[in-house]
Amino acid sequence: MRRVALLTSGGDAPGMNAAIRSIVRSGIARGWEMYGVRNGYAGLISGSIALLGARDVGGIIQRGGTMLGSARCREFETEEGRRAALKQLGRRGIGALVVIGGNGSQTGAHALSLMGFPVVGVASTIDNDLSGTDVTIGVTTAIDVALESIDRLKVTAASHQRAFLVEVMGRKCGYLALMAGLAGGADSIVIPEQEVDPETVAEDLRGAYASGKAHAIVVVAEGAGNNAERMVEFFQQNHERLGFDLRVTKLGHIQRGGAPGAYDRLLGTLFGAAAIERLAEGVNGVLVGMVKGEVATTPLAEVVACRKPLDLKMLELARVLAK
Ligand code: F6P
């Protein structure tokens, strides 16, 4: 009887539960015993590991968050922490691990696989900043959450002739901001990959009013050098000269908490099943993701070594369409 454990790690993402369900049931279908680890790598180190049956993962596919809990674990970054985790797995006769998470989580998965333990990663983060996959579980729902807010802000902005700044998450990556800005019809988008100065943003917003719009929206990525705090400071200092008010909405963790949409449920389901297939074939040390519309695997060594590029043509398109 093969024993396989799974965990979710780092920031939770809508669709993680669909991946958990898919991994557990795909494993059970092969006659394997499936073990859930509580709270990511922290639970692996402390031995918070329990057998999961098919019914234990029922009724979760539509829920946001992760039924296993998640954590950011500094201890696992040390060799000592990883050895403690391996001991817990060995004690239970568990021979493989599936790690559902983003960059930090897959770095941990890679470290464990370098120590000779079979690990398969499943790409999941609202940031979509992970190499080896075009899209990650959670990002589509997070964009939808941002879009709902942008649409609502446009309504109130139009009533008051006010400019609004919406700050979205994404860590050092501008993907979430760029896609939300593009799909939300923003007048200006500020991302870490291409810095703009606040004066240019102010011109974009003024341009929106000048062209007859009743609202002006700028979407700013939290990781941009000129993030919400810097922009607000600039607009406050130059309020008289600029001639309009700027109100700020930071979406923050609201973007992570949504119920997963269809696409994130499907990604979780497909990636989870593929992770079990790879383990059954004896393939490990890889990340399961989506490459050019196909579920594909990429060595974890490559995934953690590369920074995912952002398609800046989209930023140019957003500029053209904002006119
Ligand atoms: O990686 C997902 C993410 O939500 C980032 O967008 C954000 O910068 C970070 O996690 C926030 O982390 P925490 O939930 O630990 O505050």
Side-chain angles (χ1 to χ4, degrees), residues 60 104 255 265 313:
I60 62 167
Q255 285 156 107
R265 293 187 201 191
K313 286 200 295 296

Side-chain angles (χ1 to χ4, degrees), residues 300-318:
L300 282 168
E302 268 176 48
V303 170
V304 302
C306 305
R307 193 179 167 164
K308 187 172 181 172
L310 192 63
D311 185 359
L312 291 176
K313 286 200 295 296
M314 296 293 161
L315 190 60
E316 196 38 52
L317 178 62

Side-chain angles (χ1 to χ4, degrees), residues 5-24 35-45 48-49 52 57 60 63-73 76 97-106 108-109 119-125 137-138 256 268 272:
L6 69 148
L7 61 82
T8 48
S9 156
D12 64 317
M16 276 183 161
N17 279 327
I20 293 170
R21 171 180 177 271
S22 176
I23 292 162
V24 169
Y35 289 82
V37 181
R38 297 280 315 159
N39 304 328
Y41 291 120
L44 201 55
I45 291 171
S48 188
I49 303 171
L52 289 175
V57 294
I60 62 167
R63 288 206 213 132
T66 157
M67 69 160 277
L68 289 174
S70 190
R72 302 195 191 278
C73 177
F76 197 75
L97 177 70
V98 182
V99 173
I100 307 164
N103 256 316
S105 314
Q106 302 309 339
V119 186
V120 170
V122 167
S124 178
T125 161
I137 297 168
R256 283 218 317 241

Side-chain angles (χ1 to χ4, degrees), residues 252-312:
H253 290 80
I254 282 175
Q255 285 156 107
R256 283 218 317 241
Y263 193 60
D264 284 323
R265 293 187 201 191
L266 288 171
L267 281 188
T269 301
L270 297 178
F271 288 3
I276 292 300
E277 269 170 40
R278 295 298 86 77
L279 282 177
E281 292 160 0
V283 176
N284 58 70
V286 296
L287 176 82
V288 176
M290 183 72 80
V291 179
K292 294 192 170 79
E294 301 276 346
V295 177
T297 53
T298 307
L300 282 168
E302 268 176 48
V303 170
V304 302
C306 305
R307 193 179 167 164
K308 187 172 181 172
L310 192 63
D311 185 359
L312 291 176

Side-chain angles (χ1 to χ4, degrees), residues 172-184:
K172 297 260 175 277
C173 174
Y175 182 87
L176 203 48
L178 183 51
M179 293 305 133
L182 191 58

